C-alpha cells in the first residue's frame, strides 16, 4: 500500500501547551500509530525532530521512522519546534505530508514562556528540588530565554500565518479551553483527524476518557522575580495582542503573574 503522507497527524506546539498530553491521548486511539522512541535521535515516541535535529538523515529516514507497521493506521509527529519552520521547510513538509492534519495549541504567551523557562531550569539544574532553584533577572535568565527560543515559540500570529498558507484547514485550539474540558477538546481533535469515537467499544471509550483527564509533564513552580515577569510581559505583549485579535481567544492564565509582579 502506498502512503499519501509520511505523517498523517502533525502537532506543531506550542511547547508547554499540553502537546505531551495530546500525544498520549491521540496515540491511545486504535486507529493511530506512534513511532518507536530512538533516543537520542527522537524525543521519546512523540517528537521526530526531523527539520531541526535529523534533517541531515534525509527524507527516507523520516518516512521509515514514521511509517506504521499497518498502513491503515494514522502516523503521528508532535514536535513543537515545527511551529517556526521557514517557507523552504514548509514546502518540504507539504511535499512529504500533502494531506496531513495539523494541530496548533496556543497558550497565553507569558504563561507559556514562564513554564518553558521553568522546564529549562529543571534541565540546567539536573532536576534540582523546587526550593533549590529560582529565576532571577540576570545574565543567566536572559541566556535561558535565548536557549528556550521564547520569542520564536511565542510568535503565534506569524507562525500561524505561514502554516495556514500550506495547511489552511489546520486546527487551532486554546490551551485554557482545552484544560477546562479536555475530553471535549480531544473529541474535537479526533473529528479533525478523522478518528472515530462513536464506533469505539465502551471499554476503549472509557479508557480514552480516563486518559483525557491525566496531567502530563508538570514542571516545579520555581520562584520567579517580578523583574522577570515584567521583562517577559513587555517583550511578549505585542505577540499576545496579535494572536488574540487573529483568533478571538481570550488569554487569562498569566494574569495572576502580572498582578503579583505589580
Amino acid at each position: 500500500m502506498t502512503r499519501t503522507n509520511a505523517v498523517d497527524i502533525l502537532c506543531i506546539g506550542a511547547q508547554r501547551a499540553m502537546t505531551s498530553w495530546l500525544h498520549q491521548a491521540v496515540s491511545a486511539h486504535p486507529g493511530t500509530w506512534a513511532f518507536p522512541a530512538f533516543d537520542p535521535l527522537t524525543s521519546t515516541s512523540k517528537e521526530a525532530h526531523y527539520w531541526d535535529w535529523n534533517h541531515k538523515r534525509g527524507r527516507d529516514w523520516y518516512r521509515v521512522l514514521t511509517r506504521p507497521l499497518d498502513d491503515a493506521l494514522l502516523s503521528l509527529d508532535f514536535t513543537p519546534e515545527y511551529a517556526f519552520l521557514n517557507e523552504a521547510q514548509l514546502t518540504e513538509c507539504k511535499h512529504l505530508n500533502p494531506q496531513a492534519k495539523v494541530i496548533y495549541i496556543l497558550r497565553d504567551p507569558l504563561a507559556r514562556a514562564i513554564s518553558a523557562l521553568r522546564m529549562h531550569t529543571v534541565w540546567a539544574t539536573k532536576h534540582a528540588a523546587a526550593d533549590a532553584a529560582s529565576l532571577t533577572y540576570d545574565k543567566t535568565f536572559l541566556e535561558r530565554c535565548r536557549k528556550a527560543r521564547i520569542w520564536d515559540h511565542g510568535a503565534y500570529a506569524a507562525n500561524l500565518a505561514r502554516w495556514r498558507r500550506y495547511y489552511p484547514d489546520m486546527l487551532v485550539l486554546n490551551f485554557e479551553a482545552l484544560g477546562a474540558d479536555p475530553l471535549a477538546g480531544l473529541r474535537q481533535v479526533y473529528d479533525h483527524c478523522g478518528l472515530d469515537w462513536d464506533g469505539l467499544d465502551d471499554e476503549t471509550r472509557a479508557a480514552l476518557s480516563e486518559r483525557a483527564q491525566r496531567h502530563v509533564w508538570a514542571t516545579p513552580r520555581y520562584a520567579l522575580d517580578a523583574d522577570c515577569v515584567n521583562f517577559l510581559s513587555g517583550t511578549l505583549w505585542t505577540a499576545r495582542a496579535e494572536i488574540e485579535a487573529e483568533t478571538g481567544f481570550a488569554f487569562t492564565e498569566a494574569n495572576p503573574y502580572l498582578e503579583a509582579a505589580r
Side-chain angles (χ1 to χ4, degrees):
M1 179 178 179
T2 301
R3 291 183 56 81
T4 301
N5 306 305
V7 171
D8 300 297
I9 303 174
L10 281 165
C11 180
I12 64 169
Q15 186 189 67
R16 304 303 301 149
M18 293 178 69
T19 60
S20 294
W21 167 86
L22 186 61
H23 183 266
Q24 289 195 11
V26 173
S27 63
H29 191 284
T32 66
W33 184 85
F35 56 79
F38 281 103
D39 182 63
L41 302 185
T42 69
S43 179
T44 68
S45 61
K46 174 194 170 202
E47 303 173 20
H49 284 282
Y50 173 62
W51 278 278
D52 49 355
W53 300 354
N54 292 307
H55 193 258
K56 63 186 177 184
R57 303 181 191 283
R59 296 179 182 182
D60 286 342
W61 177 88
Y62 189 51
R63 290 189 183 99
V64 170
L65 171 73
T66 56
R67 183 164 188 166
L69 299 178
D70 178 353
D71 276 331
L73 301 179
L74 300 181
S75 55
L76 314 175
D77 183 1
F78 285 41
T79 304
E81 282 74 14
Y82 292 169
F84 36 90
L85 294 186
N86 61 35
E87 296 290 344
Q89 293 167 324
L90 279 165
T91 298
E92 182 182 25
C93 181
K94 185 66 175 180
H95 176 77
L96 283 168
N97 310 304
Q99 297 178 14
K101 296 298 184 180
V102 181
I103 305 158
Y104 197 9
I105 308 171
L106 305 183
R107 183 177 184 181
D108 183 301
L110 175 57
R112 194 219 66 81
I114 290 171
S115 181
L117 287 168
R118 283 172 167 159
M119 178 179 70
H120 279 262
T121 301
V122 171
W123 294 344
T125 57
K126 302 186 186 302
H127 300 269
D131 59 1
S134 63
L135 293 173
T136 303
Y137 186 75
D138 55 16
K139 289 183 179 179
T140 298
F141 168 77
L142 295 174
E143 178 63 11
R144 286 197 185 143
C145 287
R146 185 190 68 79
K147 288 184 177 180
R149 303 189 71 170
I150 292 299
W151 297 280
D152 289 330
H153 280 290
Y156 296 150
N159 296 340
L160 187 58
R162 284 195 312 279
W163 273 89
R164 275 182 168 162
R165 285 197 287 272
Y166 295 85
Y167 298 94
D169 67 339
M170 67 186 295
L171 177 63
V172 183
L173 300 171
N174 186 337
F175 170 89
E176 293 178 39
L178 194 59
D181 193 345
L183 184 56
L186 181 59
R187 292 285 302 275
Q188 188 178 1
V189 170
Y190 280 2
D191 288 344
H192 177 69
C193 298
L195 294 169
D196 184 36
W197 173 270
D198 294 329
L200 298 173
D201 59 59
D202 291 343
E203 183 179 355
T204 302
R205 282 204 302 271
L208 290 171
S209 297
E210 184 278 328
R211 182 165 291 213
Q213 305 304 320
R214 297 179 185 175
H215 192 171
V216 180
W217 230 110
T219 53
R221 294 185 174 274
Y222 295 147
L224 188 73
D225 278 3
D227 287 343
C228 296
V229 175
N230 290 327
F231 170 80
L232 291 170
S233 176
T235 60
L236 292 167
W237 188 259
T238 299
R240 183 183 190 181
E242 286 177 348
I243 198 60
E244 286 185 333
E246 171 71 22
T247 62
F249 292 168
F251 296 117
T252 62
E253 184 191 6
N255 290 348
Y257 293 115
L258 295 170
E259 289 294 329
R262 288 176 180 174

Short mmCIF file of all heavy atoms in Angstrom, two decimals, residues 11 13-14 17-23 25 103-107 171-189 212-214 249:
data_model
loop_
_atom_site.label_atom_id
_atom_site.label_comp_id
_atom_site.label_asym_id
_atom_site.label_seq_id
_atom_site.Cartn_x
_atom_site.Cartn_y
_atom_site.Cartn_z
N CYS A 11 1.31 17.74 15.12
CA CYS A 11 1.05 18.76 16.13
C CYS A 11 2.30 19.62 16.23
O CYS A 11 3.39 19.10 16.50
CB CYS A 11 0.70 18.15 17.48
SG CYS A 11 0.35 19.38 18.77
N GLY A 13 2.88 22.28 18.25
CA GLY A 13 3.02 23.02 19.50
C GLY A 13 1.68 23.59 19.95
O GLY A 13 0.64 23.11 19.51
N ALA A 14 1.80 24.59 20.80
CA ALA A 14 3.01 25.23 21.27
C ALA A 14 3.67 24.40 22.37
O ALA A 14 3.01 23.63 23.06
CB ALA A 14 2.72 26.64 21.80
N ALA A 17 2.21 23.39 26.08
CA ALA A 17 0.78 23.67 25.87
C ALA A 17 0.00 22.38 25.69
O ALA A 17 -0.83 22.26 24.80
CB ALA A 17 0.59 24.61 24.68
N MET A 18 0.28 21.38 26.52
CA MET A 18 -0.44 20.11 26.55
C MET A 18 -0.17 19.24 25.33
O MET A 18 -0.96 18.36 25.00
CB MET A 18 -1.96 20.34 26.71
CG MET A 18 -2.34 20.94 28.05
SD MET A 18 -4.13 21.28 28.23
CE MET A 18 -4.79 19.61 28.30
N THR A 19 0.96 19.43 24.65
CA THR A 19 1.23 18.58 23.49
C THR A 19 1.57 17.15 23.91
O THR A 19 1.22 16.20 23.19
CB THR A 19 2.37 19.16 22.64
OG1 THR A 19 3.58 19.26 23.43
CG2 THR A 19 2.00 20.53 22.10
N SER A 20 2.25 16.97 25.05
CA SER A 20 2.53 15.61 25.53
C SER A 20 1.24 14.90 25.91
O SER A 20 1.04 13.72 25.61
CB SER A 20 3.50 15.64 26.71
OG SER A 20 4.77 16.10 26.33
N TRP A 21 0.36 15.63 26.58
CA TRP A 21 -0.94 15.07 26.93
C TRP A 21 -1.70 14.66 25.66
O TRP A 21 -2.25 13.56 25.58
CB TRP A 21 -1.76 16.10 27.70
CG TRP A 21 -3.22 15.72 27.81
CD1 TRP A 21 -3.78 14.92 28.76
CD2 TRP A 21 -4.27 16.11 26.93
NE1 TRP A 21 -5.13 14.77 28.51
CE2 TRP A 21 -5.46 15.49 27.40
CE3 TRP A 21 -4.33 16.92 25.79
CZ2 TRP A 21 -6.69 15.67 26.77
CZ3 TRP A 21 -5.56 17.09 25.16
CH2 TRP A 21 -6.72 16.47 25.65
N LEU A 22 -1.72 15.55 24.67
CA LEU A 22 -2.47 15.26 23.46
C LEU A 22 -1.87 14.06 22.72
O LEU A 22 -2.61 13.21 22.20
CB LEU A 22 -2.49 16.48 22.53
CG LEU A 22 -3.37 16.33 21.30
CD1 LEU A 22 -4.83 16.11 21.68
CD2 LEU A 22 -3.24 17.56 20.38
N HIS A 23 -0.55 13.97 22.70
CA HIS A 23 0.08 12.82 22.04
C HIS A 23 -0.33 11.53 22.72
O HIS A 23 -0.66 10.53 22.05
CB HIS A 23 1.60 12.98 22.05
CG HIS A 23 2.31 11.87 21.33
ND1 HIS A 23 2.80 10.76 21.98
CD2 HIS A 23 2.59 11.69 20.01
CE1 HIS A 23 3.36 9.94 21.10
NE2 HIS A 23 3.24 10.48 19.90
N ALA A 25 -3.02 10.96 24.43
CA ALA A 25 -4.45 10.71 24.21
C ALA A 25 -4.74 10.28 22.78
O ALA A 25 -5.58 9.41 22.54
CB ALA A 25 -5.25 11.97 24.55
N ILE A 103 -2.34 20.42 13.92
CA ILE A 103 -2.93 20.93 15.15
C ILE A 103 -1.95 21.90 15.82
O ILE A 103 -0.75 21.61 15.90
CB ILE A 103 -3.24 19.78 16.14
CG1 ILE A 103 -4.13 18.72 15.48
CG2 ILE A 103 -3.90 20.31 17.41
CD1 ILE A 103 -4.05 17.37 16.15
N TYR A 104 -2.45 23.02 16.27
CA TYR A 104 -1.63 24.03 16.95
C TYR A 104 -2.39 24.47 18.20
O TYR A 104 -3.49 25.01 18.11
CB TYR A 104 -1.41 25.22 16.01
CG TYR A 104 -0.28 26.17 16.36
CD1 TYR A 104 0.66 25.89 17.36
CD2 TYR A 104 -0.12 27.36 15.64
CE1 TYR A 104 1.69 26.76 17.62
CE2 TYR A 104 0.91 28.25 15.90
CZ TYR A 104 1.81 27.95 16.89
OH TYR A 104 2.86 28.83 17.17
N ILE A 105 -1.82 24.21 19.37
CA ILE A 105 -2.43 24.61 20.63
C ILE A 105 -1.75 25.90 21.10
O ILE A 105 -0.52 25.94 21.24
CB ILE A 105 -2.27 23.52 21.72
CG1 ILE A 105 -2.75 22.17 21.21
CG2 ILE A 105 -3.03 23.92 22.99
CD1 ILE A 105 -2.42 21.01 22.15
N LEU A 106 -2.53 26.93 21.34
CA LEU A 106 -1.99 28.23 21.73
C LEU A 106 -2.23 28.47 23.21
O LEU A 106 -3.36 28.36 23.69
CB LEU A 106 -2.64 29.34 20.90
CG LEU A 106 -2.54 29.18 19.38
CD1 LEU A 106 -3.16 30.39 18.69
CD2 LEU A 106 -1.09 29.01 18.94
N ARG A 107 -1.18 28.83 23.89
CA ARG A 107 -1.24 29.13 25.33
C ARG A 107 -0.85 30.58 25.55
O ARG A 107 -0.03 31.13 24.79
CB ARG A 107 -0.28 28.21 26.09
CG ARG A 107 -0.31 28.37 27.60
CD ARG A 107 0.62 27.37 28.28
NE ARG A 107 0.52 27.47 29.74
CZ ARG A 107 1.22 26.72 30.59
NH1 ARG A 107 2.06 25.80 30.14
NH2 ARG A 107 1.06 26.89 31.90
N LEU A 171 -6.18 22.90 12.66
CA LEU A 171 -6.99 23.08 13.85
C LEU A 171 -6.20 23.88 14.88
O LEU A 171 -5.09 23.48 15.26
CB LEU A 171 -7.39 21.72 14.43
CG LEU A 171 -8.20 21.74 15.72
CD1 LEU A 171 -9.56 22.41 15.52
CD2 LEU A 171 -8.38 20.31 16.25
N VAL A 172 -6.78 24.99 15.34
CA VAL A 172 -6.13 25.85 16.33
C VAL A 172 -6.96 25.80 17.61
O VAL A 172 -8.16 26.09 17.59
CB VAL A 172 -6.00 27.29 15.82
CG1 VAL A 172 -5.26 28.16 16.83
CG2 VAL A 172 -5.27 27.31 14.48
N LEU A 173 -6.33 25.43 18.71
CA LEU A 173 -7.02 25.25 19.99
C LEU A 173 -6.47 26.21 21.04
O LEU A 173 -5.29 26.57 21.02
CB LEU A 173 -6.83 23.82 20.49
CG LEU A 173 -7.37 22.70 19.59
CD1 LEU A 173 -6.92 21.34 20.12
CD2 LEU A 173 -8.88 22.76 19.51
N ASN A 174 -7.34 26.60 21.96
CA ASN A 174 -6.94 27.44 23.09
C ASN A 174 -6.60 26.53 24.27
O ASN A 174 -7.43 25.75 24.73
CB ASN A 174 -8.09 28.38 23.47
CG ASN A 174 -7.70 29.39 24.55
OD1 ASN A 174 -6.77 29.16 25.32
ND2 ASN A 174 -8.41 30.50 24.60
N PHE A 175 -5.39 26.61 24.76
CA PHE A 175 -4.91 25.81 25.87
C PHE A 175 -5.84 25.90 27.08
O PHE A 175 -6.12 24.89 27.74
CB PHE A 175 -3.51 26.30 26.25
CG PHE A 175 -2.95 25.74 27.54
CD1 PHE A 175 -2.24 24.57 27.56
CD2 PHE A 175 -3.13 26.44 28.73
CE1 PHE A 175 -1.71 24.07 28.75
CE2 PHE A 175 -2.61 25.96 29.92
CZ PHE A 175 -1.90 24.76 29.93
N GLU A 176 -6.33 27.08 27.37
CA GLU A 176 -7.18 27.25 28.55
C GLU A 176 -8.50 26.51 28.39
O GLU A 176 -8.99 25.88 29.34
CB GLU A 176 -7.40 28.74 28.82
CG GLU A 176 -6.10 29.44 29.25
CD GLU A 176 -6.28 30.93 29.48
OE1 GLU A 176 -7.32 31.34 30.03
OE2 GLU A 176 -5.36 31.70 29.11
N ALA A 177 -9.09 26.56 27.20
CA ALA A 177 -10.33 25.82 26.95
C ALA A 177 -10.07 24.32 26.97
O ALA A 177 -10.88 23.54 27.49
CB ALA A 177 -10.93 26.24 25.61
N LEU A 178 -8.93 23.92 26.44
CA LEU A 178 -8.58 22.50 26.43
C LEU A 178 -8.38 21.98 27.84
O LEU A 178 -8.82 20.87 28.18
CB LEU A 178 -7.29 22.32 25.60
CG LEU A 178 -6.91 20.90 25.18
CD1 LEU A 178 -8.00 20.26 24.33
CD2 LEU A 178 -5.59 20.92 24.41
N GLY A 179 -7.74 22.76 28.68
CA GLY A 179 -7.55 22.35 30.06
C GLY A 179 -8.84 22.31 30.86
O GLY A 179 -9.00 21.48 31.75
N ALA A 180 -9.78 23.20 30.51
CA ALA A 180 -11.05 23.24 31.23
C ALA A 180 -11.94 22.05 30.90
O ALA A 180 -12.68 21.56 31.76
CB ALA A 180 -11.78 24.54 30.91
N ASP A 181 -11.87 21.57 29.66
CA ASP A 181 -12.70 20.43 29.24
C ASP A 181 -11.88 19.56 28.29
O ASP A 181 -12.09 19.59 27.08
CB ASP A 181 -13.99 20.91 28.58
CG ASP A 181 -15.02 19.79 28.42
OD1 ASP A 181 -14.65 18.60 28.56
OD2 ASP A 181 -16.19 20.11 28.16
N PRO A 182 -10.93 18.79 28.83
CA PRO A 182 -10.02 18.04 27.96
C PRO A 182 -10.71 17.00 27.09
O PRO A 182 -10.28 16.76 25.95
CB PRO A 182 -9.03 17.40 28.93
CG PRO A 182 -9.68 17.46 30.26
CD PRO A 182 -10.57 18.66 30.25
N LEU A 183 -11.76 16.37 27.58
CA LEU A 183 -12.43 15.35 26.77
C LEU A 183 -13.11 15.99 25.55
O LEU A 183 -13.04 15.44 24.45
CB LEU A 183 -13.44 14.58 27.60
CG LEU A 183 -14.15 13.42 26.87
CD1 LEU A 183 -13.14 12.43 26.31
CD2 LEU A 183 -15.12 12.72 27.80
N ALA A 184 -13.74 17.14 25.75
CA ALA A 184 -14.35 17.83 24.61
C ALA A 184 -13.29 18.23 23.60
O ALA A 184 -13.50 18.12 22.38
CB ALA A 184 -15.12 19.06 25.10
N GLY A 185 -12.14 18.71 24.09
CA GLY A 185 -11.05 19.06 23.19
C GLY A 185 -10.53 17.86 22.43
O GLY A 185 -10.23 17.94 21.24
N LEU A 186 -10.42 16.73 23.13
CA LEU A 186 -9.94 15.51 22.48
C LEU A 186 -10.91 15.07 21.40
O LEU A 186 -10.49 14.67 20.31
CB LEU A 186 -9.75 14.42 23.52
CG LEU A 186 -9.22 13.08 23.00
CD1 LEU A 186 -7.86 13.25 22.33
CD2 LEU A 186 -9.13 12.07 24.15
N ARG A 187 -12.20 15.14 21.68
CA ARG A 187 -13.19 14.79 20.68
C ARG A 187 -13.08 15.69 19.45
O ARG A 187 -13.22 15.25 18.31
CB ARG A 187 -14.60 14.89 21.27
CG ARG A 187 -14.93 13.85 22.34
CD ARG A 187 -15.19 12.48 21.74
NE ARG A 187 -16.28 12.51 20.78
CZ ARG A 187 -17.57 12.40 21.08
NH1 ARG A 187 -17.94 12.28 22.35
NH2 ARG A 187 -18.48 12.41 20.13
N GLN A 188 -12.79 16.96 19.67
CA GLN A 188 -12.62 17.90 18.57
C GLN A 188 -11.40 17.52 17.72
O GLN A 188 -11.45 17.57 16.48
CB GLN A 188 -12.45 19.33 19.11
CG GLN A 188 -12.45 20.41 18.06
CD GLN A 188 -12.34 21.81 18.65
OE1 GLN A 188 -12.23 21.97 19.87
NE2 GLN A 188 -12.35 22.82 17.81
N VAL A 189 -10.33 17.12 18.38
CA VAL A 189 -9.13 16.67 17.66
C VAL A 189 -9.43 15.41 16.86
O VAL A 189 -9.05 15.28 15.69
CB VAL A 189 -7.97 16.43 18.65
CG1 VAL A 189 -6.81 15.73 17.95
CG2 VAL A 189 -7.51 17.75 19.25
N ALA A 212 -7.81 11.24 29.08
CA ALA A 212 -8.00 12.67 28.82
C ALA A 212 -7.91 13.51 30.08
O ALA A 212 -7.65 14.72 30.02
CB ALA A 212 -9.35 12.91 28.14
N GLN A 213 -8.09 12.92 31.23
CA GLN A 213 -8.05 13.65 32.50
C GLN A 213 -6.65 13.71 33.11
O GLN A 213 -6.45 14.37 34.13
CB GLN A 213 -9.02 13.01 33.50
CG GLN A 213 -10.45 12.89 33.00
CD GLN A 213 -11.06 14.20 32.56
OE1 GLN A 213 -10.86 15.23 33.19
NE2 GLN A 213 -11.81 14.18 31.46
N ARG A 214 -5.69 13.03 32.52
CA ARG A 214 -4.35 12.98 33.11
C ARG A 214 -3.60 14.29 32.89
O ARG A 214 -3.79 14.99 31.90
CB ARG A 214 -3.54 11.84 32.49
CG ARG A 214 -4.11 10.45 32.76
CD ARG A 214 -3.25 9.39 32.09
NE ARG A 214 -3.83 8.06 32.22
CZ ARG A 214 -3.32 6.97 31.64
NH1 ARG A 214 -2.22 7.06 30.91
NH2 ARG A 214 -3.90 5.80 31.79
N PHE A 249 -9.30 34.40 20.74
CA PHE A 249 -9.06 33.77 22.02
C PHE A 249 -8.82 34.84 23.09
O PHE A 249 -8.21 35.88 22.82
CB PHE A 249 -7.83 32.87 21.97
CG PHE A 249 -7.97 31.64 21.12
CD1 PHE A 249 -6.85 30.88 20.79
CD2 PHE A 249 -9.21 31.24 20.65
CE1 PHE A 249 -6.97 29.74 20.01
CE2 PHE A 249 -9.34 30.10 19.86
CZ PHE A 249 -8.22 29.35 19.54
#
